[in-house]
């Protein structure tokens, strides 16, 4: 299953059967890697560092797939994080004593996991401002710092969803 997934996503020039790998193949891979420079004609997009993206996705087709996947999931990822955030908020009329702490850690853990996923998605395609704020939110969730989460959550989601417009037209999106 893993091999077929690799074959579908990697360019054929990077796939070498294990039984045919030798010193000559290693030199060929190194030559391909060195000649695989980032295209100069990538569009300027606020917040996108193409050099950083190229480190993670060093092929135009991989970059296109990464951006398409990110773009297709902008709204659903934002909706999931918003639900996690709302689940962390105190429920009206729900006054519990500290010793009656019933699964109160679960919502913040779900928030941390979701924002971690969003952080990784942004980093892999070079959207460093999103990566940075998502990392701050992730660490705040890990530390249980709701004050930071409340201060940054809305702004982060606004910036996150702004990429629906910023990425229009990139790689045919």
């Amino acid at each position: 299953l893993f091999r077929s997934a690799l074959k579908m996503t990697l360019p054929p020039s990077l796939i070498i059967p294990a039984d045919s790998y030798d010193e000559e193949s290693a030199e060929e891979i190194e030559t391909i890697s060195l000649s695989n420079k980032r295209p100069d004609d990538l569009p300027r997009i606020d917040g996108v560092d193409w050099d950083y993206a190229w480190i993670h996705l060093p092929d135009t087709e991989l970059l296109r797939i990464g951006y398409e996947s990110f773009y297709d999931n902008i709204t659903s990822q934002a909706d999931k994080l918003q639900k996690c955030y709302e689940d962390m908020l105190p429920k009206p009329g729900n006054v519990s004593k500290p010793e009656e702490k019933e699964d109160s850690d679960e919502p913040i853990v779900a928030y941390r996991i979701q924002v971690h996923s969003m952080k990784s998605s942004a980093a892999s395609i070079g959207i460093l401002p999103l990566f940075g704020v998502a990392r701050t939110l992730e660490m705040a969730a890990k530390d249980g710092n709701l004050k930071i989460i409340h201060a940054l959550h809305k702004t982060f989601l606004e910036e996150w969803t702004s990429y629906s417009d910023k990425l229009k037209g990139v790689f045919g999106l």
Side-chain angles (χ1 to χ4, degrees):
L1 185 63
F2 180 69
R3 288 182 185 179
S4 50
L6 284 176
K7 286 180 181 179
M8 288 179 8
T9 57
L10 289 175
S13 62
L14 294 180
I15 299 174
I16 299 171
D19 58 348
S20 68
Y21 185 80
D22 56 18
E23 215 171 288
E24 190 176 307
S25 298
E27 289 175 17
E28 184 181 330
I29 290 171
E30 188 174 330
T31 302
I32 290 168
S33 297
L34 293 174
S35 66
N36 198 12
K37 293 183 180 177
R38 179 183 68 79
D40 293 328
D41 62 346
L42 294 169
R44 292 185 70 107
I45 302 169
D46 182 40
V48 173
D49 182 330
W50 289 113
D51 291 327
Y52 192 87
W54 196 254
I55 291 169
H56 299 283
L57 302 167
D59 177 83
T60 305
E61 182 61 13
L62 291 176
L63 207 54
R64 184 195 65 73
I65 291 168
Y67 268 84
E68 184 177 292
S69 176
F70 182 87
Y71 183 82
D72 289 345
N73 290 295
I74 289 173
T75 303
S76 65
Q77 294 298 309
D79 290 347
K80 285 179 187 177
L81 189 66
Q82 181 61 31
K83 181 176 181 338
C84 291
Y85 179 76
E86 290 169 1
D87 289 347
M88 287 190 316
L89 298 175
K91 308 296 180 260
N94 184 12
V95 180
S96 61
K97 298 175 185 165
E99 63 271 8
E100 296 173 8
K101 186 179 179 184
E102 53 179 82
D103 299 329
S104 62
D105 287 344
E106 284 184 29
I108 201 165
V109 170
Y111 187 93
R112 181 183 55 77
I113 291 168
Q114 179 58 29
V115 81
H116 171 83
S117 173
M118 295 167 82
K119 175 192 78 172
S120 298
S121 295
S124 71
I125 62 169
I127 305 178
L128 300 183
L130 288 179
F131 164 79
V133 178
R135 186 174 191 287
T136 300
L137 286 167
E138 179 185 16
M139 292 300 108
K142 182 180 178 189
D143 296 340
N145 191 333
L146 295 176
K147 192 174 189 176
I148 290 175
I149 293 171
H150 293 314
L152 295 177
H153 174 80
K154 182 179 177 188
T155 303
F156 173 70
L157 282 185
E158 287 170 357
E159 185 64 18
W160 178 271
T161 56
S162 76
Y163 280 87
S164 288
D165 291 329
K166 291 178 183 180
L167 297 179
K168 276 189 182 146
V170 177
F171 297 114
L173 301 175

